[in-house]
Amino acid sequence: MGEQDHYIGIDVGTGSARACLIDSSGDIKALASEAIKLWQPQQGYYEQSTTDIWHCICHCVQRVVHQSGVDVTHIKGIGFDATCSLAVFSEDEDLPVTVTGPEFENDGNDRNVILWLDHRPVQETDLINGTGHNLLRYVGGKMSIEMEIPKVLWLKNNMPKEKFDRCKFYDLSDALTHIATGNENRSFCSTVCKQGYVPIGVDGSEKGWQEDFFKEIGLEDLAKDNFRRMGGVNGKNGKYFSAGELVGHLSDNASKQLGLVPGIAVGSGVIDAYAGWVGTVGAKVDTQYGHADETHPANDLAQASTRLAAVAGTSTCHLAMSEDPVFVSGVWGPYRDVLLPGYWLAEGGQSATGELLRHVLETHPAHKEVLPLAEAMHMNIYDYMNGHLRELAEKTNAPTVSYLGRHFFFYGDLWGNRSPIADPNMKGSVIGLSSDSSVDGLALYYYATMEFIALQTRQIIDSMNKAGHNIKTIFMSGSQCQNDMLMDLIATVCEIPVLIPRYVHAAVVHGAAMLGAKAASLDANGNTENLWSIMDRMSKPGRLVKPGSDSNEKKLFDAKYEVFLEQCRTQVEYRSKVDAATSSWVNEYGK
């Protein structure tokens, strides 16, 4: 590949679409983003549109090409990542199918995407988990309501039969590569991680899709013709690829819309968090912490298994690779082939982190006082609150900011628990509430929320390491990297270093661009360059945040961690006690 080769990455998050253009060394030459539409027809329902998303992608790509001044003939590959959302199209016309009930009529917006955040299929999720099917082993023991098969089942239960029978289903990243290429090829990342696909050869899997499972939950129609409407069977009527493998080439129609030339290599897409793994864990780190395993050189592939990718935006995903399958209760996976062929990925997560911080700030009475203060100082509200906490510690002669919150215990699963409890019914709890509604009171609540995020990260890492992982460094990406106090807290509470990427604002989309580079590397023998080799070459050195060294603060955090675990455990116990006491009411009136 010559120096003139360039690649485009596309990242579709919950709120925006982004594009970046990189050169062959991995340097970002241009970056653009555009907000995408979100509809919430009722509480717990979240919908988007592939038509709107693609329109935003086209705008972003046109802007990065213009900003960079790069000749479009030098753009050799394009890679996609997106949220793990369900996209629905018609088989006969290949057009968006509306997912909005009860009529399911298109209002002109092509609302054909059920967002990952959507919690409508409660009963369907319970039914699926009630089967105890073996494939549930590969999603942490329970299929999450955020995954896509419960949503497909909800559509079958609520959509007119004649309409449902016309539908075909994609994970959003696969829908985007479909729009880009016109073909029906799928990614292992999407299907294995979010649709219950078990790669052929794993645990006796013969087709990838599990026929008996689809029949048991009432989706036997989708098993017809070798699962044609789900993408088919690999090697028979379908093709499936690991991250960045050549999934096809840019079609004439898509190239016109994007302002690119036809025939550009398109890499197999991934879920957005997994692009965060690609964009971060290959980074170079300093010698003190860079060699988690001293028997291998830094950035040898063996290092990957010691590095946890934490992709922290609205929610946080925790991704760890292993050479052999590691089963962790409440952690999704292990997933084979999704990023590197033959390797396994596990995915822990927190349902709401960035969203939790926003919620705590915006619902507090003092928020209206803080906002103009932060604006007057040209600071975002998080930097302002961090500064206020430091001033408060100094004013009260506290040894650390953490000391301010020593008697405030916040448990923050307001949106349920993804890992390691895997219980959507988990809620929040607070010990230490007072009548203080001032900015100081808000600062304490805000700090406790950051502390909760750090303590739950420790819980997830402890669970994964006890099960057989060997996590020794956290590689962060996402908007929360900008919060220095939160990064310090995570490093100190978890007692392992945190690496902040060079491209703090663009680590995920940078990873997507690397997928485009892999797709473009196809040689005459049909082989592409190893993804880890591309990551090693294109990743940039990051900033290391080391754990705090104050022994007294360590004692405080260890004590707070014990209380955190107790709050987690007792909430489940309390609910069980009350459920037992009210069981006769439940039998009479329902839940």
Side-chain angles (χ1 to χ4, degrees), residues 388-456:
H388 188 85
L389 281 163
R390 292 184 181 107
E391 288 174 8
L392 196 58
E394 188 176 344
K395 188 169 67 176
T396 58
N397 203 29
T400 60
V401 169
S402 57
Y403 187 79
L404 296 172
R406 64 195 182 282
H407 293 148
F408 196 99
F409 309 94
F410 175 60
Y411 185 89
D413 274 336
L414 274 62
W415 282 266
N417 183 281
R418 188 186 293 177
S419 300
I421 310 303
D423 184 352
N425 296 313
M426 291 293 283
K427 296 290 186 289
S429 63
V430 183
I431 299 170
L433 272 179
S434 75
S435 60
D436 186 357
S437 60
S438 69
V439 174
D440 288 354
L442 172 56
L444 187 63
Y445 216 140
Y446 163 72
Y447 171 78
T449 306
M450 290 194 292
E451 191 175 74
F452 162 77
I453 291 169
L455 291 166
Q456 193 169 68

Side-chain angles (χ1 to χ4, degrees), residues 546-566:
K546 298 178 182 179
S549 56
D550 188 317
S551 60
N552 288 319
E553 187 170 53
K554 182 185 183 309
K555 289 178 187 175
L556 171 61
F557 285 140
D558 286 346
K560 294 292 284 275
Y561 186 52
E562 287 183 28
V563 175
F564 162 86
L565 294 175
E566 188 78 359

Side-chain angles (χ1 to χ4, degrees), residues 151-168:
K151 294 175 169 72
V152 173
L153 184 56
W154 183 91
L155 288 171
K156 179 177 181 182
N157 290 342
N158 290 274
M159 186 180 273
K161 185 178 185 304
E162 63 276 9
K163 184 160 285 193
F164 182 82
D165 288 346
R166 294 174 56 221
C167 292
K168 56 180 178 174

Side-chain angles (χ1 to χ4, degrees), residues 85 118 120 126 140 154 164 267 289 326 419 459 501:
S85 302
D118 187 290
R120 71 183 71 178
D126 288 345
W154 183 91
F164 182 82
Y289 284 109
V326 178
S419 300
Q459 183 190 25

